Amino acid sequence: MHEVHGDAVTSTAQSIRDRVRKAIKGQKQKTVTVLSCLLAVEDELGWIPAEAVEEVAEFTEATINDVWGVVSFYTNFQTQPLGKHRMEVCWGPTCHLVGAQKVADQVLKSLGLPSEGTTADGAITLRYNTCLGACSNAPVVSVDHHLMGRMTPSHAADAAERLKRGESIGGGHAS
């Protein structure tokens, strides 16, 4: 992931630690937990790097294993940097029954990905979501938090192609 070596990597890691410390110390609620710290970090960075796990463990007086346990339990926490745009294909039972697999297959093909992940240029991250909460519009895809319902494989591929071209997708064609 890091192509730069030496002081630049150290500087980046220190910068991440500084941002993590600021995020976890800046929480306004009375009760600060491992979970609230991880949410604060994800709000700040968009993902949970290893440095954040160490900082959260130290701040909450938990073990690193305890913090990793929370990170790995909640599948919505990201442990890798995400792309500029995020696509999520709902993988809930309703979406699955009405064609989410074909939608996902077409999006993977359009993005050139073998499975969930981020495109080589870092532009788009594709994830499966256990439920996007819009079952009446299944199958559902989320593009940068905009739900798009009653997706067909071709509509989903079109959305992926538009993102690849740098076009924004605001609200999609949700029904």
Side-chain angles (χ1 to χ4, degrees):
M1 180 71 200
H2 296 287
E3 295 179 11
V4 181
H5 299 284
D7 292 341
V9 171
T10 303
S11 176
T12 300
Q14 188 59 47
S15 173
I16 288 173
R17 286 185 186 280
D18 291 345
R19 290 176 64 191
V20 167
R21 287 183 195 127
K22 184 177 177 184
I24 60 179
K25 290 178 181 173
Q27 297 177 84
K28 304 284 186 220
Q29 69 274 15
K30 287 183 178 178
T31 304
V32 174
T33 63
V34 168
L35 182 59
S36 72
C37 289
L38 292 170
L39 290 168
V41 169
E42 192 152 273
D43 283 347
E44 172 65 22
L45 301 176
W47 64 294
I48 309 290
E51 295 90 345
V53 171
E54 295 168 6
E55 292 295 331
V56 169
E58 182 177 324
F59 186 77
T60 61
E61 298 180 0
T63 68
I64 290 174
N65 284 342
D66 289 340
V67 177
W68 273 118
V70 175
V71 171
S72 63
F73 180 79
Y74 293 102
T75 58
N76 284 341
F77 282 128
Q78 308 296 314
T79 56
Q80 298 291 320
L82 300 177
K84 179 180 176 187
H85 297 285
R86 299 175 193 173
M87 286 190 80
E88 294 180 84
V89 175
C90 185
W91 206 248
T94 304
C95 287
H96 189 72
L97 288 173
V98 296
Q101 179 66 58
K102 290 180 181 175
V103 168
D105 289 345
Q106 195 61 47
V107 171
L108 288 168
K109 182 178 176 184
S110 294
L111 297 178
L113 293 171
S115 63
E116 289 180 294
T118 301
T119 56
D121 63 359
I124 304 166
T125 296
L126 172 67
R127 300 247 354 209
Y128 301 131
N129 190 305
T130 55
C131 185
L132 288 169
C135 300
S136 63
N137 290 314
V140 178
V141 170
S142 171
V143 177
D144 293 334
H145 303 292
H146 296 284
L147 293 180
M148 303 170 71
R150 297 195 174 96
M151 292 299 286
T152 64
S154 65
H155 282 128
D158 180 59
E161 293 296 329
R162 289 174 55 196
L163 285 178
K164 286 169 55 179
R165 291 191 302 264
E167 298 174 20
S168 66
I169 299 176
H173 70 279
S175 303

mmCIF file of all heavy atoms in Angstrom, residues 90-101 138-139:
data_model
loop_
_atom_site.group_PDB
_atom_site.id
_atom_site.type_symbol
_atom_site.label_atom_id
_atom_site.label_comp_id
_atom_site.label_asym_id
_atom_site.label_seq_id
_atom_site.Cartn_x
_atom_site.Cartn_y
_atom_site.Cartn_z
ATOM 1 N N CYS A 90 -26.853 -4.460 -2.062
ATOM 2 C CA CYS A 90 -27.537 -5.076 -0.938
ATOM 3 C C CYS A 90 -27.558 -6.591 -1.125
ATOM 4 O O CYS A 90 -27.872 -7.088 -2.205
ATOM 5 C CB CYS A 90 -28.961 -4.541 -0.815
ATOM 6 S SG CYS A 90 -29.793 -5.180 0.661
ATOM 7 N N TRP A 91 -27.230 -7.259 -0.058
ATOM 8 C CA TRP A 91 -27.122 -8.706 -0.080
ATOM 9 C C TRP A 91 -28.132 -9.337 0.876
ATOM 10 O O TRP A 91 -28.015 -10.493 1.247
ATOM 11 C CB TRP A 91 -25.687 -9.100 0.292
ATOM 12 C CG TRP A 91 -25.257 -10.390 -0.247
ATOM 13 C CD1 TRP A 91 -24.984 -11.533 0.468
ATOM 14 C CD2 TRP A 91 -25.048 -10.732 -1.605
ATOM 15 N NE1 TRP A 91 -24.617 -12.534 -0.379
ATOM 16 C CE2 TRP A 91 -24.644 -12.067 -1.666
ATOM 17 C CE3 TRP A 91 -25.173 -10.015 -2.801
ATOM 18 C CZ2 TRP A 91 -24.368 -12.717 -2.859
ATOM 19 C CZ3 TRP A 91 -24.891 -10.657 -3.977
ATOM 20 C CH2 TRP A 91 -24.495 -11.990 -3.999
ATOM 21 N N GLY A 92 -29.132 -8.551 1.273
ATOM 22 C CA GLY A 92 -30.160 -9.065 2.170
ATOM 23 C C GLY A 92 -31.023 -10.099 1.473
ATOM 24 O O GLY A 92 -30.984 -10.241 0.242
ATOM 25 N N PRO A 93 -31.819 -10.829 2.238
ATOM 26 C CA PRO A 93 -32.627 -11.914 1.662
ATOM 27 C C PRO A 93 -33.540 -11.455 0.524
ATOM 28 O O PRO A 93 -33.624 -12.120 -0.512
ATOM 29 C CB PRO A 93 -33.440 -12.420 2.849
ATOM 30 C CG PRO A 93 -32.674 -12.007 4.054
ATOM 31 C CD PRO A 93 -31.956 -10.743 3.686
ATOM 32 N N THR A 94 -34.222 -10.336 0.690
ATOM 33 C CA THR A 94 -35.145 -9.880 -0.351
ATOM 34 C C THR A 94 -34.390 -9.537 -1.632
ATOM 35 O O THR A 94 -34.770 -9.981 -2.730
ATOM 36 C CB THR A 94 -35.952 -8.659 0.143
ATOM 37 O OG1 THR A 94 -36.622 -9.017 1.341
ATOM 38 C CG2 THR A 94 -36.953 -8.219 -0.905
ATOM 39 N N CYS A 95 -33.332 -8.764 -1.505
ATOM 40 C CA CYS A 95 -32.543 -8.404 -2.684
ATOM 41 C C CYS A 95 -31.953 -9.650 -3.332
ATOM 42 O O CYS A 95 -31.927 -9.771 -4.565
ATOM 43 C CB CYS A 95 -31.435 -7.419 -2.319
ATOM 44 S SG CYS A 95 -32.057 -5.752 -1.965
ATOM 45 N N HIS A 96 -31.503 -10.554 -2.506
ATOM 46 C CA HIS A 96 -30.908 -11.784 -3.034
ATOM 47 C C HIS A 96 -31.937 -12.569 -3.847
ATOM 48 O O HIS A 96 -31.624 -13.083 -4.921
ATOM 49 C CB HIS A 96 -30.363 -12.630 -1.888
ATOM 50 C CG HIS A 96 -29.561 -13.798 -2.334
ATOM 51 N ND1 HIS A 96 -28.298 -13.667 -2.869
ATOM 52 C CD2 HIS A 96 -29.848 -15.111 -2.356
ATOM 53 C CE1 HIS A 96 -27.850 -14.853 -3.185
ATOM 54 N NE2 HIS A 96 -28.768 -15.760 -2.888
ATOM 55 N N LEU A 97 -33.165 -12.632 -3.338
ATOM 56 C CA LEU A 97 -34.202 -13.404 -4.025
ATOM 57 C C LEU A 97 -34.632 -12.783 -5.355
ATOM 58 O O LEU A 97 -35.096 -13.489 -6.247
ATOM 59 C CB LEU A 97 -35.431 -13.569 -3.126
ATOM 60 C CG LEU A 97 -35.256 -14.530 -1.954
ATOM 61 C CD1 LEU A 97 -36.471 -14.475 -1.031
ATOM 62 C CD2 LEU A 97 -35.029 -15.951 -2.446
ATOM 63 N N VAL A 98 -34.492 -11.471 -5.490
ATOM 64 C CA VAL A 98 -34.966 -10.825 -6.720
ATOM 65 C C VAL A 98 -33.832 -10.337 -7.625
ATOM 66 O O VAL A 98 -34.043 -9.457 -8.458
ATOM 67 C CB VAL A 98 -35.955 -9.678 -6.416
ATOM 68 C CG1 VAL A 98 -37.219 -10.226 -5.763
ATOM 69 C CG2 VAL A 98 -35.313 -8.606 -5.580
ATOM 70 N N GLY A 99 -32.648 -10.910 -7.473
ATOM 71 C CA GLY A 99 -31.628 -10.661 -8.487
ATOM 72 C C GLY A 99 -30.370 -9.940 -8.085
ATOM 73 O O GLY A 99 -29.622 -9.491 -8.964
ATOM 74 N N ALA A 100 -30.083 -9.817 -6.800
ATOM 75 C CA ALA A 100 -28.873 -9.109 -6.380
ATOM 76 C C ALA A 100 -27.595 -9.765 -6.924
ATOM 77 O O ALA A 100 -26.627 -9.065 -7.222
ATOM 78 C CB ALA A 100 -28.801 -9.018 -4.857
ATOM 79 N N GLN A 101 -27.608 -11.084 -7.074
ATOM 80 C CA GLN A 101 -26.398 -11.761 -7.579
ATOM 81 C C GLN A 101 -26.048 -11.285 -8.985
ATOM 82 O O GLN A 101 -24.896 -10.983 -9.289
ATOM 83 C CB GLN A 101 -26.590 -13.279 -7.575
ATOM 84 C CG GLN A 101 -25.371 -14.037 -8.103
ATOM 85 C CD GLN A 101 -24.170 -13.886 -7.193
ATOM 86 O OE1 GLN A 101 -24.244 -14.231 -6.029
ATOM 87 N NE2 GLN A 101 -23.059 -13.367 -7.717
ATOM 88 N N ALA A 138 -36.237 -3.685 -3.748
ATOM 89 C CA ALA A 138 -35.186 -4.643 -4.104
ATOM 90 C C ALA A 138 -35.205 -4.989 -5.599
ATOM 91 O O ALA A 138 -36.277 -4.977 -6.210
ATOM 92 C CB ALA A 138 -35.371 -5.918 -3.284
ATOM 93 N N PRO A 139 -34.025 -5.287 -6.108
ATOM 94 C CA PRO A 139 -32.692 -5.195 -5.510
ATOM 95 C C PRO A 139 -32.201 -3.751 -5.445
ATOM 96 O O PRO A 139 -32.489 -2.945 -6.316
ATOM 97 C CB PRO A 139 -31.822 -6.041 -6.438
ATOM 98 C CG PRO A 139 -32.518 -6.072 -7.743
ATOM 99 C CD PRO A 139 -33.982 -5.879 -7.451
#
